[in-house]
Amino acid sequence: MEQKNWIERELQPYIEQLKNHPLYDKLSTIEDIRVFMEHHVYAVWDFMSLLKALQVELTGTTIPWTPQYNPSLTRFINEIVLAEESDIDEAGNYMSHFEMYLDAMDQAGANTLKISQFIEFVRYGNNLAEIDDKIKLNDAVMRFLRFTFDVIESGKPHYIASAFTFGREDLIPDMFFQIVKAAEEKEGTDAYSKLTYYLNRHIELDGDDHGPLALKMIAELCGDDEQKWNEVIEIAKDALRVRIALWDAIADEISKNQETFAEVV
């Protein structure tokens, strides 16, 4: 409990910045939602790499298999993988949350060409720098992705768990409530049904179940090691900083789009 309260105090300024970010007030039209999704989709994608890195570190993925030292962490990670990689969409089909998000983008009329190209380049073994040379991602998106993979490449489970828990899982419920509220208050809500379903699934899973369990994972990985707890805090702050920078960039893109539309009208 003491560590949890300490972490909350340390991260509160960053979390408040995200909860009250001006981006949410800019999500006023379907065009704004499209711009948001076209940038945010990369965070939906790289979340799975953080999760898979934890699965490699904390569950039995080698052959021949051997039992793990902490079955409760194994269970937790495998439960999240099950939900994130093969959840049930609004039509009852098994689908990853990333694929659900792509469906929601299609329904809302967002452009999925760049993210589809990105995935194909990843599939064929291109690294982030090579992909950026080919399709020129937004700078804030690239910084966000680089941070994620720098953390993964550290090979330190408590680093990965910190980015996963405080930069993603623990943050998602509050963040997504804001977006769902903005979407539902606007006209043409049929265009958001798949997005609303996706967001509600995250709220349900992350707020009620995954978030609290992720905090227990941090405690298990750090134990009484003060250095590890301090490193967890630093990684968490960095994760929140790159998320804020991503939100800043998306807000700027929406503003530019709104100005362009106003000039045309």
Side-chain angles (χ1 to χ4, degrees):
M1 181 61 70
E2 183 180 339
Q3 281 101 346
K4 183 178 184 293
N5 292 338
W6 169 60
I7 288 171
E8 287 176 354
R9 287 195 302 271
E10 288 288 319
L11 301 185
Q12 193 60 33
Y14 302 95
I15 292 171
E16 286 300 316
Q17 222 180 317
L18 280 165
K19 286 172 66 175
N20 300 299
H21 199 284
L23 168 63
Y24 304 120
D25 291 334
K26 292 181 181 293
L27 297 172
S28 57
T29 69
I30 186 66
E31 287 79 14
D32 302 332
I33 298 290
R34 288 169 184 156
V35 173
F36 172 84
M37 296 179 81
E38 288 164 11
H39 291 77
H40 176 244
V41 65
Y42 296 94
V44 178
W45 171 75
D46 81 339
F47 170 83
M48 281 303 301
S49 291
L50 277 174
L51 177 55
K52 286 294 184 177
L54 285 173
Q55 190 176 36
V56 168
E57 294 290 342
L58 302 178
T59 76
T61 59
T62 57
I63 299 173
W65 176 87
T66 56
Q68 296 302 295
Y69 296 110
N70 195 322
S72 63
L73 288 186
T74 297
R75 172 82 180 202
F76 167 56
I77 294 300
N78 284 336
E79 281 183 355
I80 297 183
V81 170
L82 177 66
E84 295 287 343
E85 198 169 30
S86 56
D87 202 2
I88 299 173
D89 72 2
E90 61 177 1
N93 302 308
Y94 293 114
M95 189 177 293
S96 70
H97 283 191
F98 173 73
E99 290 164 307
M100 286 186 198
Y101 200 88
L102 290 181
D103 275 359
M105 290 179 70
D106 283 333
Q107 184 190 44
N111 190 335
T112 59
L113 177 60
K114 185 168 281 192
I115 183 62
S116 297
Q117 291 175 327
F118 178 91
I119 293 300
E120 285 307 302
F121 285 130
V122 170
R123 198 185 305 277
Y124 285 102
N126 292 267
N127 62 37
L128 287 178
E130 291 168 337
I131 296 172
D132 190 37
D133 284 341
K134 292 171 181 173
I135 61 175
K136 298 301 177 189
L137 294 175
N138 177 282
D139 287 345
V141 170
M142 275 302 299
R143 287 195 296 272
F144 190 92
L145 294 174
R146 285 195 186 103
F147 169 77
T148 296
F149 286 93
D150 284 347
V151 168
I152 290 170
E153 288 165 13
S154 75
K156 297 181 178 180
H158 64 293
Y159 277 34
I160 302 168
S162 179
F164 176 87
T165 301
F166 302 113
R168 306 301 181 91
E169 287 290 290
D170 198 40
L171 176 66
I172 281 172
D174 286 338
M175 183 178 74
F176 279 2
F177 270 125
Q178 299 267 9
I179 298 167
V180 170
K181 181 181 176 183
E184 289 178 341
E185 287 176 352
K186 306 307 172 185
E187 296 180 2
T189 52
D190 284 350
Y192 300 104
S193 67
K194 289 181 182 292
L195 175 61
T196 300
Y197 179 86
Y198 165 87
L199 297 178
N200 281 330
R201 283 299 291 155
H202 263 281
I203 290 165
E204 178 185 346
L205 292 171
D206 299 337
D208 296 340
D209 191 9
H210 292 174
L213 287 172
L215 291 171
K216 288 182 67 176
M217 172 177 62
I218 295 285
E220 292 274 359
L221 290 172
C222 291
D224 296 324
D225 190 323
E226 186 176 344
Q227 181 177 339
K228 283 186 176 180
W229 280 107
N230 286 326
E231 289 171 346
V232 158
I233 283 289
E234 290 310 309
I235 291 293
K237 288 179 179 178
D238 288 343
L240 292 170
R241 289 186 190 108
V242 295
R243 172 73 72 170
I244 291 166
L246 179 61
W247 261 213
D248 290 343
I250 297 174
D252 287 344
E253 287 297 321
I254 290 173
S255 294
K256 290 175 189 174
N257 197 53
Q258 290 171 342
E259 290 167 7
T260 302
F261 179 75
E263 289 173 3
V264 171
V265 173

